């Protein structure tokens, strides 16, 4: 049952995503690239690019994209439901069973441990993506400019994406020869 | 049943449409939605900004996307006010479904567009520029998590045990990447966290 498989994969991913959509990238890599072989590394990076420039949360966008690509509209619905379901269940249970302030010290400590792990996981994913996709000086240049704008100037992500797209298109318009071999 | 009264049904519909709207107008991930959330909730009288910041800290601590978690919580709160416990459970479904709708619509449309442009050089140049930016954004997101995990009060206090735990995980990933599942690592580190923090 491919639909159940899609749902279950994204349910697991949703359940172990802590701290926002980007934290799911290491899980997507393991589950979708290594285990299920639904995607390649470069495709995942493309999906994340699309997910962050499309309205909506990155996690849902990425889930819909993968499901739709694999099994059409119904596939998209199953992956979306899968990634949402853990959030819905956990929050609803906490809301009704615990008091509104859910700040149990043990939960917070466990959360601190999980976050330390997620930092390492994201760092590792970034390194793999960087090695796999930034293979020439043009890509490296764009990456460095993006880092400066983000870390030093705290530029809004959407503006940065527009600038990145502009740099890609500009390179293609002004240096078509150099870029031709790099585009695939 | 009060959960199916006319008034409750009206709130469910409102929840769906308000979250649909929030989903449509937010770009760049969950935290970019926060200002939209606050404005809409105050307008609807569902909660104050202060209440919402409590929800936000809960949403960041629980699994899943921050925006989805917040939507479920607010849906429960608004639904419960008109339809009791069952109303809350239903309200949560409507709010969460509303948030997901724009994603599904936009992604489906975009996928079809990209399929048509498969060999288009401009599309390829577009992604050539955007991919390094995406990697930078992911790095930045990782740094934001690191900042709040490793430091407190703007670097005045350093949590050395989180830094060491993070480094150990990094070493494990470097040498045993293929053998360990990230979920297992997160679970183990949560347990370790209970003892070292």
């Amino acid at each position: 049952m491919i639909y159940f498989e899609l749902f279950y994969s994204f349910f697991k991913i949703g359940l172990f995503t802590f701290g926002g959509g980007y934290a799911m990238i290491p899980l997507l890599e393991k589950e979708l690239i290594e285990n299920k072989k639904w995607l390649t590394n470069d495709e995942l990076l493309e999906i994340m690019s699309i997910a962050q420039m499309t309205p909506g949360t990155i996690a849902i966008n990425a889930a819909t994209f993968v499901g739709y690509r694999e099994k059409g509209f119904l596939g998209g619905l199953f992956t979306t439901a899968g990634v949402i379901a853990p959030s819905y269940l956990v929050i609803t249970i906490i809301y009704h069973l615990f008091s509104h302030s859910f700040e149990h010290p043990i939960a917070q400590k466990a959360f601190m441990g999980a976050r330390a792990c997620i930092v390492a996981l994201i760092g590792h994913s970034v390194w793999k993506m960087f090695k796999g996709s930034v293979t020439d000086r043009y890509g490296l240049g764009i990456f460095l400019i993006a880092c400066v704008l983000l870390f030093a100037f705290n530029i809004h992500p959407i503006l940065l994406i527009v600038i990145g797209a502009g740099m890609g298109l500009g390179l293609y318009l002004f240096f078509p020869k150099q870029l031709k071999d790099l585009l695939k | 049943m009060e959960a199916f009264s006319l008034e409750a049904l009206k709130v469910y519909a409102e929840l769906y449409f308000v979250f649909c709207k929030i989903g449509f107008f937010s770009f760049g991930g969950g935290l970019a939605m926060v200002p939209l959330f606050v404005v809409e909730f105050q307008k609807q009288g569902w909660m104050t900004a202060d209440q919402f910041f409590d929800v936000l800290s809960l949403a960041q601590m629980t699994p899943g996307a921050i925006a989805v978690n917040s939507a479920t919580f607010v849906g429960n709160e608004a639904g419960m006010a008109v339809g009791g416990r069952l109303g809350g459970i239903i309200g949560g479904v409507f709010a969460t479904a509303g948030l997901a709708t724009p994603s599904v619509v936009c992604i489906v449309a975009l996928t079809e567009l990209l399929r048509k442009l498969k060999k288009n050089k401009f599309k390829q140049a577009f992604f050539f520029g955007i991919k390094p930016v995406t990697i930078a954004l992911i790095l930045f997101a990782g740094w934001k998590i690191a900042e709040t995990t490793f430091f407190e009060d703007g670097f005045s206090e350093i949590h050395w045990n989180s830094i060491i735990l993070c480094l150990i995980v990094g070493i494990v990933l470097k040498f045993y990447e293929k053998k360990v599942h990230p979920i297992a690592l997160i679970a183990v580190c949560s347990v370790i966290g209970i003892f070292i923090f």
Side-chain angles (χ1 to χ4, degrees):
Chain A
M1 263 306 279
I2 179 76
Y3 293 112
F4 179 74
E5 227 180 289
L6 285 167
F7 179 88
Y8 181 62
S9 279
F10 275 89
F11 187 90
K12 272 198 295 192
I13 292 167
L15 190 58
F16 285 91
T17 297
F18 289 93
Y22 290 116
M24 73 196 277
I25 291 172
L27 304 174
L28 290 169
E29 279 175 350
K30 191 74 182 184
E31 194 65 24
L32 306 183
I33 298 173
E34 272 184 45
N35 290 355
K36 303 283 182 193
K37 307 218 172 357
W38 284 334
L39 299 174
T40 65
N41 279 303
D42 203 52
E43 281 171 326
L44 179 63
L45 184 55
E46 201 166 305
I47 288 171
M48 292 318 289
S49 303
I50 292 167
Q52 67 187 6
M53 61 190 190
T54 314
T57 63
I58 291 167
I60 300 179
N61 290 347
T64 308
F65 192 95
V66 174
Y68 187 72
R69 230 189 64 140
E70 282 304 310
K71 273 285 155 210
F73 189 69
L74 205 53
L77 286 186
F78 271 84
T79 50
T80 308
V83 86
I84 290 174
S87 295
Y88 177 77
L89 293 175
V90 170
I91 293 285
T92 302
I93 288 167
I94 289 175
Y95 183 88
H96 291 281
L97 294 189
F98 301 92
S99 64
H100 288 197
S101 57
F102 177 71
E103 304 221 328
H104 197 281
I106 290 185
Q108 284 209 318
K109 285 177 180 176
F111 181 64
M112 281 285 282
R115 281 176 80 103
C117 179
I118 285 158
V119 171
L121 285 168
I122 294 182
H124 186 70
S125 294
V126 166
W127 173 240
K128 275 199 298 188
M129 286 181 160
F130 182 82
K131 261 197 325 195
S133 295
V134 182
T135 48
D136 55 277
R137 55 197 160 135
Y138 299 101
L140 180 65
I142 296 174
F143 175 77
L144 292 176
I145 293 171
C147 281
V148 170
L149 290 173
L150 262 179
F151 284 88
F153 298 101
N154 223 336
I155 184 177
H156 192 281
I158 292 305
L159 189 55
L160 189 64
I161 289 167
V162 172
I163 292 171
M167 286 193 285
L169 292 170
L171 276 172
Y172 180 62
L173 286 176
F174 295 111
F175 308 99
K177 264 203 200 100
Q178 286 91 325
L179 211 61
K180 210 175 70 191
D181 309 328
L182 300 171
L183 301 180
K184 34 181 171 13
Chain B
M1 286 275 277
E2 56 175 347
F4 298 102
S5 65
L6 204 58
E7 193 198 357
L9 295 179
K10 216 181 119 214
V11 169
Y12 304 148
E14 267 169 12
L15 281 167
Y16 181 83
F17 286 112
V18 165
F19 278 97
C20 222
K21 193 161 99 183
I22 292 174
F24 253 118
F25 289 104
S26 58
F27 291 87
L31 287 175
M33 294 185 178
V34 170
L36 287 168
F37 273 104
V38 173
V39 171
E40 285 295 332
F41 298 163
Q42 284 176 327
K43 209 161 79 188
Q44 303 288 337
W46 290 335
M47 56 177 55
T48 64
D50 256 6
Q51 279 173 309
F52 179 64
F53 288 124
D54 284 344
V55 174
L56 206 60
S57 59
L58 175 70
Q60 286 179 285
M61 270 187 56
T62 42
I66 295 166
V68 180
N69 295 343
S70 310
T72 304
F73 192 99
V74 175
N76 266 293
E77 177 104 357
M80 192 146 153
V82 289
R85 245 180 230 299
L86 182 61
I89 292 168
I90 299 172
V93 173
F94 276 85
T96 315
L99 189 72
T101 304
S103 294
V104 174
V105 172
C106 295
I107 289 287
V108 167
L110 203 63
T111 311
E112 289 306 321
L113 180 71
L114 289 175
R115 213 169 264 171
K116 289 213 177 75
L117 295 177
K118 200 157 187 207
K119 290 262 174 271
N120 185 299
K121 284 286 170 205
F122 284 100
K123 179 218 131 182
Q124 290 169 349
F126 179 81
F127 276 104
F128 183 82
I130 281 188
K131 279 180 187 169
V133 167
T134 302
I135 299 175
L137 281 165
I138 298 167
L139 180 67
F140 189 64
W143 167 246
K144 282 282 155 205
I145 299 177
E147 214 180 359
T148 53
T149 310
F150 298 157
F151 308 105
E152 221 160 301
D153 304 325
F155 304 110
S156 64
E157 201 180 308
I158 303 172
H159 296 295
W160 285 107
N161 31 12
S162 352
I163 295 176
I164 292 165
L165 183 59
C166 177
L167 288 176
I168 293 171
V169 175
I171 293 166
V172 170
L173 282 171
K174 170 120 183 53
F175 293 105
Y176 302 102
E177 195 207 335
K178 297 271 179 259
K179 293 205 183 89
V180 293
H181 199 290
I183 291 179
L185 281 174
I186 295 172
V188 169
C189 287
S190 308
V191 176
I192 294 174
I194 295 172
F195 294 101
I196 65 169
F197 292 116

